[in-house]
Amino acid sequence: MDDQQTLRRRALLRRAGTGALALATLGGATGTGTVAATDADSSGSEPAARRQPSASATQWPQFQADALNSGYTETPGPAEGSVAWRYDTGDPGAATATPPATGTPFDEAPDDARDNVVSSPAVVDGTVYVGSNDGFLYAIDAVSGEEEWAYETGQEVMSSPAVADGTVYVGSHDGRLHAVGTDSGEREWAFEADGPVFASPAYRDGTLYVGTQAGSMYAVDTAGEEVWQRSVADRVDSTAAVVDDTVYVGLWNDDHTGSVVALDAATGEQTKEYPATGEIACSPTVVDGVVYFGDYARTIYAVDTGTAELVWGRQFDGAILASPVVVDGTVYVGGFDGTLWAMDAANGDIEWSFSTGNQIFSSPAVTRDTVYVGSADHSLYAVDRATGDEVFSVETDRPVLSSPAVTAGAVFVGSSDSRVYAVGDPTGGESVSATPPEATDDPTATGTAPVGGSGDGTTADDGPGFGALGALGALGVGAWRRFGAAERDGTAADGDE
């Protein structure tokens, strides 16, 4: 069957005991199998990221730019890969216990759980805020790369900060949500949750929405008071997307199942559920009434938020833990198959693909002309949004699991080598008042061809045609989950036997 041939609705969906729609067969496990449950076309309406922008020339204030998890900014980022500065949070050491959004080991793991930067930066008014596995939240001058202050939580800070009205909010594995003054670096309050906080807080209209690895979702006001708490799963690693009066968040259960649920933002009551085949660690995004998300079962989903019916799904060669970005009718997402994919938002057809040399945990940051994404092959990539060609790459000393933040002329990202990197011109074209430390023109700031890809990193047509097991070896003990869940449900795709 042709990869782009649509399958009949009854072959795609099965009814769960509750009547909720669940995904069945999604074609071969070759990174090119697509299904379409409806004939819906793109509405052509303006993407949500443009209707409610939070990013600007001087700020990227929370994970994926805003409470929508849009991952988009109109601001042009850097066009070349010079490293303006590197800030070191500590010496890298031996194995990160919990890679971002996963509970499984992966190849080339960083050396120490204490000194790796997997938190994704927030940037507001000339300051970069980022967590580190050394237990600190850092404020770093965006131009000079010099430390402004460091706030200690006591355990790993893998959560990404959210900044609003002079306060930075961040979760910690100490089981608390911390509020810290942006000027002073001193604690304003610390909210006690029921478990480690890996997920990033989503800030919207004076309320923070955040999940815990004990399976709860919380709404907390900016005074540190609980608005509501709901037990929703065995674990929540997903960062919520807040759209209008609804909170969308991915769930992870110990029986290897998952879903995205819609919660009333005011009360926490569940209003909808969007089931998946595997656990969901990625953060969903919602555009034009469709929620997009990926799971451990190697699938990306587009589901109608109102009817909970599948619009389309596509299965790949590796888990989808990075968050999708949807802009101007195209979905951009990376996977454990080491590939950044661009897909038609209306039907899941592949527009282009870009191959890196290892798994992609990093969620892409998208501008008008460029997609920025990190890879576990130790590199940050800039990829042409229209063609999928490499613009530049910057090599670090360890996997780049952090998601990039973009402001005018610059991109900021963490690496498991314990450093935070500023790439491009963080002055935004303004005069520099301080000399950036470790400014460099060294070879690590220049582009190199991705391992296993073509010279420009792209793959032709619908993808590289990986073997069914080709990208799964790096998942270690977690690889069985995707196959086990499919086999238990009787939904194993062709090529999975």
Side-chain angles (χ1 to χ4, degrees), residues 1 5-15 21-28 34-38 277 310 313 489-494:
M1 184 185 73
Q5 181 177 340
T6 58
L7 302 178
R8 292 185 181 273
R9 185 187 187 91
R10 62 176 177 269
L12 301 174
L13 304 176
R14 61 183 175 85
R15 293 282 178 176
L21 290 169
L23 185 66
T25 304
L26 288 176
T34 186
V35 298
T38 74
T277 303
L310 183 72
D489 290 340
T491 60
D494 294 340

Side-chain angles (χ1 to χ4, degrees), residues 147-489:
E147 181 184 304
E148 296 179 1
W149 49 257
Y151 168 85
E152 185 172 14
T153 71
Q155 291 194 37
E156 297 103 310
V157 181
M158 304 177 84
S159 173
S160 302
V163 185
D165 300 324
T167 302
V168 54
Y169 306 94
V170 72
S172 169
H173 272 55
D174 68 359
R176 294 183 289 179
L177 177 66
H178 296 259
V180 182
T182 55
D183 291 336
S184 67
E186 296 181 357
R187 178 186 297 173
E188 296 179 355
W189 49 259
F191 176 83
E192 296 283 348
D194 63 357
V197 182
F198 168 81
S200 304
Y203 173 85
R204 175 72 179 267
D205 295 336
T207 303
L208 300 146
Y209 303 91
V210 68
T212 73
Q213 291 187 327
S216 290
M217 272 298 296
Y218 289 90
V220 181
D221 67 23
T222 53
E225 298 295 326
E226 180 180 304
V227 178
W228 52 257
Q229 180 268 340
R230 292 287 181 272
S231 178
V232 292
D234 293 319
R235 175 170 169 167
V236 178
D237 280 358
S238 170
T239 295
V242 188
V243 183
D244 298 327
D245 298 324
T246 303
V247 178
Y248 299 85
V249 66
L251 308 184
W252 170 313
N253 294 311
D254 292 341
D255 63 358
H256 315 303
T257 63
S259 63
V260 166
V261 292
L263 308 175
D264 184 281
T267 66
E269 295 294 334
Q270 181 175 315
T271 59
K272 286 286 192 305
E273 184 172 15
Y274 314 105
T277 303
E279 306 101 306
I280 297 175
C282 96
S283 303
T285 191
V286 179
V287 176
D288 294 331
V290 177
V291 58
Y292 300 85
F293 57 94
D295 70 2
Y296 254 105
R298 304 171 292 155
T299 302
I300 183 81
Y301 304 81
V303 182
D304 186 288
T305 58
T307 65
E309 292 187 356
L310 183 72
V311 178
W312 57 261
R314 176 177 281 277
Q315 194 169 56
F316 294 102
D317 283 333
I320 306 293
L321 276 67
S323 302
V325 174
V326 184
V327 182
D328 293 337
T330 298
V331 181
Y332 304 92
V333 69
F336 267 33
D337 58 8
T339 305
L340 174 68
W341 301 93
M343 295 171 286
D344 189 307
N347 54 33
D349 287 355
I350 291 176
E351 297 176 357
W352 54 254
S353 60
F354 176 87
S355 179
T356 76
N358 211 320
Q359 298 159 345
I360 297 177
F361 295 84
S362 176
S363 300
V366 180
T367 70
R368 284 176 289 177
D369 54 13
T370 308
V371 183
Y372 301 92
V373 69
S375 171
D377 70 359
H378 302 191
S379 295
L380 170 72
Y381 291 94
V383 180
D384 185 279
R385 184 175 147 190
T387 66
D389 294 333
E390 180 175 319
V391 178
F392 66 79
S393 64
V394 175
E395 185 178 354
T396 74
D397 292 335
R398 298 281 174 169
V400 179
L401 313 180
S402 170
S403 301
V406 180
T407 59
V411 59
F412 303 88
V413 72
S415 170
S416 294
D417 63 9
S418 79
R419 298 180 179 90
V420 182
Y421 288 74
V423 177
D425 178 10
T427 70
E430 299 176 358
S431 60
V432 180
S433 59
T435 302
E438 296 186 44
T440 180
D441 292 320
D442 66 32
T444 65
T446 62
T448 56
V451 177
S454 62
D456 62 4
T458 61
T459 55
D461 301 323
D462 287 340
F466 300 113
L469 301 177
L472 300 178
L475 291 180
V477 297
W480 68 274
R481 295 181 176 183
R482 294 177 301 285
F483 293 103
E487 289 167 357
R488 287 191 299 274
D489 290 340

